[in-house]
Amino acid sequence: MPQNPRSRYFRLLAIGVLIGAAITLVVLAGLPEVPRAISKTRSPSAGDQADSSVVEEGAKTVSVGQAAPNFALHDTRDRTYELQGLKGKVVLLNFWATWCAPCRLEMPLLEAISQELVEEDFLVLGINLQESVAQVQEFVDEMGLTFPVLLDSDGTVSGLYRIIGYPSTIIIDKAGKIQTIHIGILLESQLREYLQEAGLSI
């Protein structure tokens, strides 16, 4: 039986209205917010507004200018490093993994700066994400790393610092405050600028 043209028209009109309503709901409700990450170089100074350099995950944040959360981790030789015991030094935390290609590219720069500033109040701590001692030690040997490489075996410290991408670098000044949050591979010029702003002569 042929379909009534008027009935067909109203059916198409109803479908169009439903599609339009669905699009309107998506626009009004918005899409889920992706956690933001902002690379930043300095702490807020007197008179500045609150610094916008923040790593966010839900309502919890780690931001420039705040005291760096304390932690204690072992290296591949079972030596313990505790952050609060390193006050008086500029500390660079580099979060990485062996499967991360940009991490591999960045490592020679971190090793070179560690060697260059070996006489300064400065320490690089590589923090590996949840890999075995054997995997990490093989990588350390291959890359010829001399700075301490620590094992975040259960991901606690990465969670504490709200790490959402690799590599990620956090620079802590001599007073124990976060000076820089940088997500992604570092350029040498960036690293030198960050360390100068953390109080090193470089």
Side-chain angles (χ1 to χ4, degrees):
M1 183 176 178
Q3 191 176 37
N4 186 318
R6 178 172 290 186
S7 171
R8 184 165 180 258
Y9 169 78
F10 282 113
R11 184 174 298 164
L12 290 173
L13 180 63
I15 291 170
V17 169
L18 288 173
I19 291 172
I23 291 172
T24 301
L25 283 173
V26 169
V27 170
L28 291 176
L31 296 174
E33 187 175 351
V34 176
R36 292 180 297 126
I38 305 173
S39 297
K40 183 60 186 98
T41 61
R42 69 180 181 89
S43 304
S45 58
D48 283 353
Q49 293 183 345
D51 199 290
S52 62
S53 306
V54 175
V55 173
E56 294 186 294
E57 188 173 283
K60 300 176 182 178
T61 62
V62 174
S63 41
V64 167
Q66 79 173 63
N70 188 44
F71 63 85
L73 289 175
H74 300 289
D75 67 8
T76 57
R77 303 187 190 282
D78 208 32
R79 294 171 294 200
T80 302
Y81 290 80
E82 185 172 8
L83 185 63
Q84 69 180 12
L86 298 174
K87 280 191 178 177
K89 292 180 180 289
V90 172
V91 180
L92 184 154
L93 306 180
N94 181 256
F95 292 85
W96 68 281
T98 62
W99 44 260
C100 165
C103 300
R104 179 177 290 271
L105 290 173
E106 187 179 66
M107 283 296 171
L109 172 61
L110 299 180
E111 175 62 23
I113 209 76
S114 176
Q115 291 288 341
E116 180 181 335
L117 300 178
V118 70
E119 301 296 330
E120 302 293 328
D121 292 323
F122 174 66
L123 184 65
V124 174
L125 294 177
I127 300 178
N128 174 266
L129 176 69
Q130 294 179 293
E131 295 185 277
S132 70
V133 174
Q135 284 176 295
V136 174
Q137 190 60 55
E138 181 181 356
F139 184 90
V140 168
D141 293 342
E142 178 189 345
M143 301 298 294
L145 303 180
T146 59
F147 56 81
V149 174
L150 311 182
L151 304 169
D152 189 13
S153 302
D154 59 3
T156 298
V157 177
S158 296
L160 188 65
Y161 279 84
R162 311 295 165 197
I163 299 303
I164 58 174
Y166 294 89
S168 285
T169 298
I170 293 178
I171 297 175
I172 301 163
D173 66 20
K174 294 180 181 182
K177 292 187 177 181
I178 294 174
Q179 178 72 26
T180 300
I181 296 170
H182 182 100
I183 301 172
I185 194 166
L186 278 165
L187 301 176
E188 182 177 358
S189 58
Q190 290 174 318
L191 178 54
R192 290 183 178 277
E193 181 180 349
Y194 293 161
L195 293 178
Q196 284 176 351
E197 292 179 347
L200 292 177
S201 299
I202 181 174

